[in-house]
Amino acid sequence: AEKVLGYDLLSLCLEGPQGELDRTRHCQPAVRLMFALGCVSVQVVESCVAAAGYSVGEFAALVFAGALDFAEALYAVKVRAEAMQKASEAVPSGMLSVIGRREANYKFACLEARKHCESLGIENPVCEISNYLFPNSRVIAGHLQALEFLQENARKYYFTRAKMLPVSGAFHTRLMEPAVEPLAEVLKSIEIQKPLVCVYSNVNGKKYMHSKHIQKLLVKQVVSPVMWEQTMHSIYERKQGTEFPYTYEVGPGNQLGAILKKCNLKAWKQYKHVDALEDEEAAET
């Protein structure tokens, strides 16, 4: 990873500083490195029926499935992260995690937030759903003024929670368009294989069909909402009475397991979190 990135990512992860690690250009490769450590501990490739990764984690899922080489995928993530960091610095923007009541209309709220931005003189404002997490939970991304408006008017739109995320930009929206071309160019130079197991795309929640399909949708994902809730429904669709497979979340945190519990409680009962660092510590003792 250090050879590919040109800096000591492991040292940055372990020693910081936190401010540098939080930068998009460092944070995205760091997530990938944690995958590389954790992938060894799972050892279920032969019996695996499907894989999926959230946002940049989709590269990890494709490496796991044999579609991408680790070093080449990490370099693509490096290019992606640096381009997204640059796009983020061009416009004050961010992401807002929202939990709403059943009455919540997220798209209408975004429309009114864009109108508010226009009243402030902002041309072509962006405020849209960037992540579908689980029922009644969305991430909305766009201009900071739009997100601040939604926070201030949360009760009006039936939001029970509206919390800014600690990220530098409006990922998975058209504000990331400057990052599209750099990623597209690097993916053209990478050999992409057909996955050994089914991998589901963030863009539409469906299985990747072939290498060109992977190349196209990985680029499109940068400016498209992450359809994670829809992906969960696709992966765990079963005939009634059929057992659910075991599910492993690899790496730091168990956020995806918490989302699975909200989307499919029966599937979640077969869920296990695998933390690579914890496994290494256990092996040493």
Side-chain angles (χ1 to χ4, degrees):
E2 184 176 349
K3 289 179 181 178
V4 172
L5 298 172
Y7 59 88
D8 189 348
L9 179 60
L10 182 58
S11 176
L12 184 61
C13 288
L14 296 176
E15 300 170 14
Q18 184 69 41
E20 280 299 303
L21 186 56
D22 286 342
R23 288 172 63 84
T24 301
R25 65 189 301 268
H26 294 144
C27 181
Q28 290 190 14
V31 172
R32 289 280 291 109
L33 178 62
M34 288 307 301
F35 161 77
L37 295 172
C39 189
V40 180
S41 8
V42 181
Q43 298 177 351
V44 292
V45 183
E46 291 183 2
S47 59
C48 186
V49 295
Y54 182 87
S55 190
V56 69
E58 196 161 295
F59 285 84
L62 288 164
V63 171
F64 176 81
L68 295 176
D69 171 76
F70 171 74
E72 290 184 331
L74 187 59
Y75 180 70
V77 169
K78 175 181 184 287
V79 171
R80 178 186 188 268
E82 290 175 350
M84 291 174 72
Q85 178 73 47
K86 188 175 180 180
S88 299
E89 292 168 355
V91 178
S93 58
M95 304 180 80
L96 185 71
S97 176
V98 174
I99 294 178
R101 289 158 51 185
R102 289 185 179 181
E103 305 95 317
N105 186 327
Y106 305 97
K107 291 184 178 180
F108 176 69
C110 289
L111 174 63
E112 293 215 324
R114 289 196 298 272
K115 288 181 178 178
H116 169 72
C117 287
E118 288 172 352
S119 72
L120 299 176
I122 299 173
E123 295 183 5
N124 300 316
V126 173
C127 183
E128 57 197 56
I129 298 172
S130 64
N131 297 255
Y132 291 81
L133 300 178
F134 55 85
N136 301 319
S137 178
R138 305 284 184 267
V139 174
I140 295 173
H143 282 82
L144 280 181
Q145 295 90 333
L147 304 183
E148 290 166 356
F149 172 82
L150 291 179
Q151 276 191 303
E152 292 168 4
N153 294 276
R155 292 183 64 183
K156 175 184 176 182
Y157 300 114
Y158 301 102
F159 297 162
T160 57
R161 190 187 79 172
K163 182 180 180 181
M164 291 294 295
L165 296 177
V167 297
S168 58
F171 306 145
H172 303 292
T173 72
R174 60 183 173 86
L175 286 177
M176 291 295 111
E177 283 178 359
V180 167
E181 191 59 31
L183 179 59
E185 285 300 312
V186 75
L187 287 175
K188 288 177 185 176
S189 67
I190 290 176
E191 186 177 359
I192 303 175
Q193 306 289 341
K194 183 178 179 180
L196 298 175
V197 298
C198 295
V199 179
Y200 287 75
S201 167
N202 284 186
V203 173
N204 55 21
K206 298 179 181 178
K207 300 174 188 175
Y208 279 118
M209 305 304 294
H210 47 74
S211 58
K212 287 291 183 183
H213 194 212
I214 294 171
Q215 181 182 325
K216 179 182 177 181
L217 292 190
L218 280 180
V219 174
K220 189 175 181 181
Q221 190 229 61
V222 173
V223 291
S224 302
V226 174
M227 311 293 277
W228 193 254
E229 180 183 346
Q230 295 83 342
T231 300
M232 292 296 94
H233 293 318
S234 296
I235 290 178
Y236 296 102
E237 186 177 5
R238 296 285 187 282
K239 291 181 180 179
Q240 192 168 4
T242 305
E243 286 189 9
F244 286 101
Y246 289 99
T247 298
Y248 298 92
E249 179 177 0
V250 183
N254 57 0
Q255 295 91 336
L256 298 184
I259 292 174
L260 175 60
K261 186 176 182 180
K262 298 282 188 180
C263 292
N264 191 320
L265 183 59
K266 290 183 179 179
W268 175 79
K269 290 179 179 178
Q270 300 277 56
Y271 160 88
K272 181 180 179 182
H273 173 237
V274 179
D275 191 315
L277 296 181
E278 286 180 2
D279 276 12
E280 285 184 353
E281 289 169 2
E284 290 172 1
T285 57

